[in-house]
Amino acid sequence: MKFAASILALAASATAFAPAPAARSATQLHETKADLEALAKELNPIVGFYDPLNLAEADFWGAGNEATIGFLRHAEIKHGRIAMFAFVGYIVHANGIKFPWAMQLDGSPFPSETNPPALWDTISDTAKWQIFTVIAFLEFWSELSTDSHK
C-alpha cells in the first residue's frame, strides 16, 4: 500500500513539470486607416483619431499604405526605446556612475564630469566616431531586408 501511494505521489509530482498545451493567441495588426480610426476611438474616446500630418494616408516608397503604417509604427517604437535608453544614460552620467576600467587603450580614464553635455565635450573624437559607427551599423542592420531575411 505504501509502495502504491509513493508511486502515485511521484506520478502526481511529475505532471507538475509536464508542458502545458500551447494555446494559440491571435494578434490583430490594425494596419489600415479605418483600423487606426476604430482603435483610436476605442482607446481614447475623447480625442479619437488625430493625424494632423495625414500620415495614415501616406504611401512611402510605393510600398502601400499598410507598409507605411507598419514602418511608422516600427520607427515610433524604436525611437521611443532609444529615448528611454538616452534618459537612463543621462541619469547615470549625472550621478557620476562610470565603468571601473580605462576608457581607451592608452589607459586614459573616464572623465570625472557629472554634467552629461560637458562629459560629451571631454571625450575624444575617436570615441565619438566609434559611438556613431556602432549606431550606424545597428541602424543599417535593422533596416537590412533581403529575400532570406525579412
Side-chain angles (χ1 to χ4, degrees), residues 9-141:
L10 285 174
S13 65
T15 59
F17 300 105
R24 300 210 34 132
S25 62
T27 302
Q28 189 174 1
L29 288 181
H30 305 293
E31 290 183 343
T32 64
K33 183 176 180 183
D35 291 339
L36 292 177
E37 289 172 352
L39 182 65
K41 198 66 176 166
E42 177 186 333
L43 295 177
N44 192 347
I46 296 171
V47 175
F49 183 71
Y50 182 71
D51 185 16
L53 298 177
N54 209 15
L55 292 174
E57 293 180 2
D59 184 8
F60 294 176
W61 308 287
N65 185 259
E66 289 82 12
T68 300
I69 289 173
F71 170 78
L72 292 172
R73 284 183 162 185
H74 174 79
E76 182 178 10
I77 291 169
K78 179 172 62 173
H79 291 108
R81 289 175 179 166
I82 296 298
M84 290 184 276
F85 187 69
F87 176 75
V88 170
Y90 192 94
I91 296 300
V92 164
H93 290 303
N95 287 307
I97 300 170
K98 56 186 176 182
F99 293 116
W101 53 80
M103 183 173 79
Q104 295 183 335
L105 292 176
D106 63 359
S108 59
F110 283 94
S112 60
E113 294 284 334
T114 57
N115 181 4
L119 178 66
W120 178 256
D121 292 337
T122 59
I123 65 172
S124 68
D125 289 338
T126 308
K128 291 177 187 176
W129 278 109
Q130 183 180 14
I131 292 168
F132 290 138
T133 304
V134 168
I135 291 170
F137 171 76
L138 292 174
E139 186 69 23
F140 172 76
W141 185 262

